[in-house]
Amino acid sequence: MSNEQRAIYLWAMDQLASGLIYYIVFVFSATLHEAAHAWAAKRGGDLTAYQGGQVSLDPRPHIRREPFGMVILPLLSVAVSGWPFGFASAPYDPRWAIRYPKRAAWMALAGPGSNLLLVLLSVALIRAGVAAGYFHAPASVQFGHVIGTDGGGAMPAIAFLIGAFFSMNLMLAILNLFPFPPLDGSAAIPLLLSDRQSAKYQQFIWGKPVLAIVGMLAAWKLFGPVFQPLFLFAVNLLF
């Protein structure tokens, strides 16, 4: 094996290893996100997700519901691009959402709220590492790589893992707060409406795949310009 081939091989292995770490972070974060939806729905009187076993941090019931979105698609995308692309979901009763639109709105916000909680936990770990002298501001920043460390052994891997949790959960929180169906932000809009308007809104967005397609296209178009400055702002707050 030539030096060039060896360099390409090592780069590919590094990309694969990073992609698998991102996948593990994705599964944990998506599990917490959907468990938060299910828990909030149960608190609000809808037992649909609870009866499906999704008020749980065990990823298995969430994977059973969305095996393609949580296993097949993200692992295929890791193999192709080094980055997991996937999705998960928690069921709810649309009749309950129409009857109690405010409760359904809080249920929707519970998902991105759980991701923000993981962001804050990551921030606490990073700040503790900085205070202990293990972490410092990096020379450059990119998604997942937000922590510098001079430590040996497992410290670079720990820094990357915490940075991956910080970056991915910030991304999931911001993306899901976009007010476009089928994202969680669209389901939170009833908090700004009257009860009558909220019920009509729930009826309008329910069961319309065209709205979901248009909403995802709009979110895809706007996500980069919105996320990048917010990501850099959040990283600056770390240090």
Side-chain angles (χ1 to χ4, degrees):
M1 181 182 295
S2 67
N3 289 337
E4 183 178 354
Q5 290 173 325
R6 179 177 175 80
I8 293 174
Y9 172 78
L10 292 175
W11 176 84
M13 290 299 99
D14 181 66
Q15 289 293 103
L16 180 60
S18 298
L20 290 175
I21 290 175
Y22 279 130
Y23 173 68
I24 292 169
V25 173
F26 164 76
V27 169
F28 182 85
S29 303
T31 295
L32 181 62
H33 182 108
E34 300 307 331
H37 281 318
W39 175 81
K42 179 176 180 289
R43 295 276 296 177
D46 179 17
L47 301 181
T48 307
Y50 170 74
Q51 291 169 345
Q54 289 187 269
V55 184
S56 172
L57 295 181
D58 182 347
R60 288 175 295 180
H62 304 278
I63 289 173
R64 280 195 297 269
R65 176 168 170 79
E66 296 286 5
F68 182 76
M70 289 195 69
V71 179
I72 299 172
L73 180 60
L75 286 179
L76 282 175
S77 59
V78 164
V80 172
S81 67
W83 168 257
F85 177 82
F87 58 88
S89 67
Y92 70 95
D93 186 346
R95 294 169 298 181
W96 168 79
I98 292 171
R99 187 175 181 183
Y100 303 107
K102 307 293 188 185
R103 298 183 191 180
W106 286 114
M107 179 268 290
L109 287 178
S114 70
N115 297 123
L116 286 174
L117 183 63
L118 287 178
V119 171
L120 292 175
L121 177 60
S122 302
V123 169
L125 291 174
I126 293 168
R127 297 296 296 173
V130 170
Y134 293 117
F135 300 152
H136 57 76
S140 61
V141 168
Q142 57 181 310
F143 191 96
H145 299 274
V146 299
I147 308 169
T149 179
D150 297 323
M155 287 309 300
I158 293 172
F160 175 63
L161 179 62
I162 296 173
F165 265 102
F166 171 85
S167 302
M168 182 168 291
N169 281 281
L170 184 64
M171 179 194 73
L172 290 172
I174 292 172
L175 175 63
N176 278 286
L177 287 174
F178 274 41
F180 309 131
L183 299 172
D184 295 329
S186 68
I189 288 177
L191 290 175
L192 306 176
L193 305 175
S194 68
D195 289 343
R196 185 175 181 180
Q197 291 171 328
S198 297
K200 289 182 178 180
Y201 175 78
Q202 289 284 2
Q203 291 173 324
F204 173 71
I205 66 172
W206 173 252
K208 292 184 174 64
V210 173
L211 280 180
I213 293 171
V214 172
M216 289 305 297
L217 289 174
W220 182 270
K221 183 73 173 177
L222 294 174
F223 179 73
V226 172
F227 177 73
Q228 190 62 23
L230 289 176
F231 173 70
L232 293 176
F233 175 74
V235 171
N236 284 328
L237 290 180
L238 286 175
F239 303 103

